[in-house]
Each structure stands twice: as C-alpha cells, then as structure tokens.
Amino acid sequence: MSDLDKAIAQLRACRPIPEPQVRELCHRARELLIEEGNVVTVTAPVTICGDIHGQFHDLMELFRVGGDVPDTNYLFMGESHSLLGDFVDRGFYSLESFLLLLCLKVRYPDRMTLIRGNHESRQITTVYGFYDECLRKYGSANVWRYCCDVFDYLALGAIVLGASNTLSPPSDVDNVEIEVCDQNGGLISRFPRQGRMPQLDNSSGDKTGPPGSGASGDSSGSVGNPAGAVLCVHGGLSPLIDTVDKIRLIDRKQEVPHEGAMCDLLWSDPDDIDGWGLSPRGAGFLFGADIVKVFNHRNDLSLIARAHQLVMEGFKEMFDASIVTVWSAPNYCYRCGNVAAVLELSEDSSGWGVFSRSNGDVGRSSGLMTGLEPDEVAPKSGPARRYRVFQAAPQDSRGMPAKKPVADYFL
C-alpha cells in the first residue's frame, strides 16, 4: 500500500494525517491542479455534489449513496464526481473532509473534480471555523496555510459534455426527464419530459461549437454535448461574463477578490427578478431567468448546476429547469433539518455526441449573437437527471464532536 493509500485509509477513519504528509499532499495537489484550466471539461457519466461544509460523516454517507471513488466520477460542485465547492467551515471535520477529497483527487485525478467555493478563502475560513480547527488539531496555522495555497489553484467551473437525454439504468416509463430516488435507491417521484426543444441529430445544419465559444460550422469535431452541455459553478453568473471563454481568461490563482468576475462566480444567486440585482450577501449579484436563458443559449448550455444556497429538499430547479441548486450537506450546521442530494447525469450512447468547430462567422446562427431577447430563446433539450436524496448519517456513526458549531451565519 502506498503512502497515499495509507493516508486515504486514515482520513476515511476520520483521523488527521501528520503535518509533513499534509505539506507533501498539498504540494502534489498544486502540481496537479495547476495543469487544469479555469473550466475543467468532464465527460458524463458524472455525479454532481453541492456544499459539504466539513460534515465528514455525511460525506461518507454521500459516497455510500452516490458510489465511492474510483467507481464513480465526482464533480464536487459519477462516473466522475464533481464537487461544487464549500468543502470547509461550519462542520466539525473540515480538515478531514478536505484532506480526504484532496487525497482522492491526487490518487484518482480523472475521477474527481473540485471546484472552488466562496468558503475556499483565507478571509472566510479565519471567521467560520477552518482556521481554528487547524490550529486546534495541529497546534499551529501551518496546515491552514498549506490548504489555502491549494484553494488558489482550484478550478472555477466545469463543463459536462456527453450527457444523455435518457436515464441509465433506464426508467420503466418512457420519456422521463427527472427521477428522484432516496438514499437506498427507492423511487420517490419522476417527471416526464415536456416543453423542451427536441434533440437535434448530427445531420442538422444547426451545428454549434464548443460550449462558450459561440463557434459554428460544418466540420466534424470530437465528443460533445447532444443534450446541451452543463456548466457547473459554485455560485452563479456575473454581469462581466457573457461566455464561458471569459471564465477561462480569469487569473484564478489568488485569494477570492471582494468584487469582479471571479467573486461573482463564487457568490451570486438566482432569484425571481428581471435582470441583475444587488445581493444581500454583500458580494456577487442576484440574477433572473432572462439572464440565465440568454447565457445558456449563447453558450450552447442546457443547464447550469450550482450550489451555495441551502435547499431544504436537497435540490431546486428554477427558470424552466435552466438552472439547478444542489445541496449536499444534510441537517446543515447539525440543526437545520434539511435533506441533501446529488445529481447524476448519464452517459450518452447515441453516437450523436459530436460538436463542430469554426474559427469564423461562417454559418453562425443569429441566436448566438449578442442582443438576443430572452423571449426569443427556447430552452435546449436538457439531460435526463436523477437526483439521489439522502439524510444525515446516523448519530451512532459520528463519534464525539470536538466543539460546538458556529450558528449565526448562513452562506
């Protein structure tokens, strides 16, 4: 067994690893993460997860429900997993949770995608628990500094390509778009596909380029997005960002700024308003359905998956299913009583997952031009979605908490 496998086993037992190992782990993680762009491309199947907030035993429950690494790809917001940020603060075990995820990222880099959240920040972690936890468990702030250095290298988003319009394993009812299951796999509810544009096959003349590029043309391409790509970010959109390509141009290797595009991606929230609004959080913006629909159409997206907001039901779709909030910390702060969820996207097997490319305006549809009105935008046929809803881990699996949680703040 390698040292990394031993560290994973120790962290799975909720026991911190020695400081020299943390330093080496963070160094290896930075070397890996620096090779990733601001927006990581992930191919389905993938499991998308929301905030964890240091609730280690609930993270173990998440792996039980969603499948363990490396058998599942995780996008920590399946077969990849993607996590959408906010790994630390609030919970009792931010350190063990983040270091375990980091170990799994280094051990299985193609199975784990970690996206930065607003709590992956020096300023926030000094106030809401992670700094104090590191100090208490190691006797100095060195480990906190190592982890904060890693925060600066985390991606700002992910694009999921190749998601299917049908569930896998298949539903026993035709044309199901959404299926909700409990933590044991039992069916809670399902919803048929309705009111979305039909999927275009690859013989259509309406071909678009890589998500975020606005490119189109008639040349063949590579694995793409038959159901429309899915953009994963922690918070939301920014008035400074109208294409995914602009996210790719941000200098992310820094502390989260108090304003600007990077700040907005980590702090903004969707709301029932028109256009943009001021956020009560004091950072980022509120944005309405019109903003989401134009952004999705311009970037050939069918869905934005984000976290950042407590959702009592574990997930919440808004604006004609053009954006979804996924929350993966059950009984948040050990007192909110909410359930949690992960979102599973299946792999497309139709052979239509091809996007075409062009470097010019030849064949570019008018729908991709700026100035498009929201009413002119029809939602793209979205991927089939399976939500797995789960509750907090049983109390007898938790051990004795080290301290009381901070309770007066709900980012």
Side-chain angles (χ1 to χ4, degrees):
M1 179 184 287
S2 70
D3 289 343
L4 189 56
D5 288 326
K6 290 178 182 176
I8 290 173
Q10 184 167 331
L11 288 165
R12 282 184 181 274
C14 201
R15 291 186 287 118
I17 57 178
E19 183 179 318
Q21 271 190 284
V22 177
R23 183 175 63 249
E24 175 65 19
L25 170 65
C26 290
H27 177 73
R28 293 176 64 180
R30 288 201 313 274
E31 288 185 329
L32 182 67
L33 293 168
I34 198 172
E35 298 298 324
E36 295 185 344
N38 289 353
V39 183
V40 181
T41 300
V42 178
T43 54
V46 63
T47 298
I48 299 172
C49 313
D51 295 37
I52 302 299
H53 278 298
Q55 297 183 197
F56 176 86
H57 300 90
D58 299 320
L59 175 61
M60 294 299 97
E61 184 72 2
L62 184 156
F63 283 144
R64 186 189 73 80
V65 171
D68 212 338
V69 182
D71 299 326
T72 305
N73 289 324
Y74 276 96
L75 214 165
F76 272 84
M77 339 132 280
E79 288 325 308
S80 265
H81 279 47
S82 180
L83 291 89
L84 302 180
D86 278 12
F87 314 114
V88 299
D89 286 339
R90 294 296 186 190
F92 297 138
Y93 304 102
S94 294
L95 188 69
E96 292 85 353
S97 300
F98 181 64
L99 292 180
L100 175 59
L101 293 173
L102 213 55
C103 279
L104 293 172
K105 172 65 178 177
V106 173
R107 180 67 175 84
Y108 308 105
D110 296 331
R111 294 292 186 185
M112 180 76 71
T113 303
L114 304 178
I115 294 174
R116 191 171 190 173
N118 63 303
H119 276 257
E120 277 68 66
S121 150
R122 291 164 182 80
Q123 182 175 357
I124 295 294
T125 53
T126 53
V127 177
Y128 296 107
F130 184 52
Y131 175 85
D132 291 336
E133 183 180 330
C134 292
L135 209 61
R136 187 172 64 253
K137 293 178 178 177
Y138 286 96
S140 77
N142 291 340
V143 166
W144 174 79
R145 293 190 187 96
Y146 302 148
C147 291
C148 288
D149 288 342
V150 175
F151 293 164
D152 291 345
Y153 287 82
L154 293 174
L156 302 179
I159 286 279
V160 180
L161 299 179
S164 176
N165 278 327
T166 57
L167 295 170
S168 179
S171 168
D172 55 7
V173 176
D174 291 337
N175 206 31
V176 172
E177 182 173 19
I178 302 172
E179 193 169 85
V180 183
C181 300
D182 64 22
Q183 57 203 63
N184 298 314
L187 180 68
I188 297 175
S189 57
R190 57 165 58 106
F191 303 90
R193 185 175 296 278
Q194 57 185 359
R196 308 294 289 266
M197 289 177 64
Q199 175 178 308
L200 298 172
D201 65 34
N202 63 351
S203 64
S204 166
D206 182 19
K207 296 183 177 181
T208 58
S213 70
S216 63
D218 295 323
S219 60
S220 60
S222 54
V223 176
N225 46 315
V230 178
L231 173 65
C232 303
V233 293
H234 176 71
L237 300 179
S238 169
L240 301 173
I241 298 288
D242 58 359
T243 66
V244 177
D245 273 349
K246 289 188 178 179
I247 302 176
R248 296 183 172 108
L249 296 175
I250 295 172
D251 178 12
R252 79 175 190 269
K253 299 177 185 69
Q254 58 176 309
E255 172 71 344
V256 180
H258 293 146
E259 59 184 9
M262 180 172 167
C263 171
D264 298 342
L265 293 170
L266 274 55
W267 282 90
S268 293
D269 299 294
D271 198 10
D272 292 320
I273 61 173
D274 293 327
W276 297 97
L278 294 177
S279 172
R281 297 180 186 269
F285 290 87
L286 301 177
F287 55 92
D290 52 343
I291 301 296
V292 175
K293 290 178 181 178
V294 170
F295 185 89
N296 285 3
H297 187 81
R298 180 178 289 126
N299 291 279
D300 194 22
L301 304 174
S302 61
L303 181 68
I304 295 173
R306 43 91 63 179
H308 193 42
Q309 283 180 295
L310 170 64
V311 179
M312 296 301 291
E313 299 80 12
F315 70 95
K316 180 181 181 181
E317 294 193 349
M318 298 177 67
F319 310 152
D320 298 323
S322 60
I323 188 168
V324 60
T325 299
V326 181
W327 185 265
S328 301
N331 193 28
Y332 179 43
C333 287
Y334 310 110
R335 68 184 182 88
C336 286
N338 61 288
V339 296
V342 295
L343 165 58
E344 296 179 356
L345 301 178
S346 303
E347 178 183 13
D348 178 71
S349 57
S350 68
W352 290 351
V354 175
F355 58 67
S356 51
R357 301 172 182 167
S358 170
N359 291 325
D361 289 331
V362 177
R364 187 170 299 214
S365 68
S366 60
L368 289 171
M369 296 303 198
T370 58
L372 188 70
E373 293 299 325
D375 292 344
E376 300 173 27
V377 178
K380 189 175 179 69
S381 178
R385 305 178 293 287
R386 177 176 284 117
Y387 296 98
R388 295 195 183 273
V389 176
F390 61 99
Q391 297 178 336
Q395 188 61 43
D396 59 8
S397 72
R398 292 182 171 274
M400 185 63 67
K403 67 178 184 66
K404 294 181 179 179
V406 183
D408 60 344
Y409 159 81
F410 281 87
L411 276 184

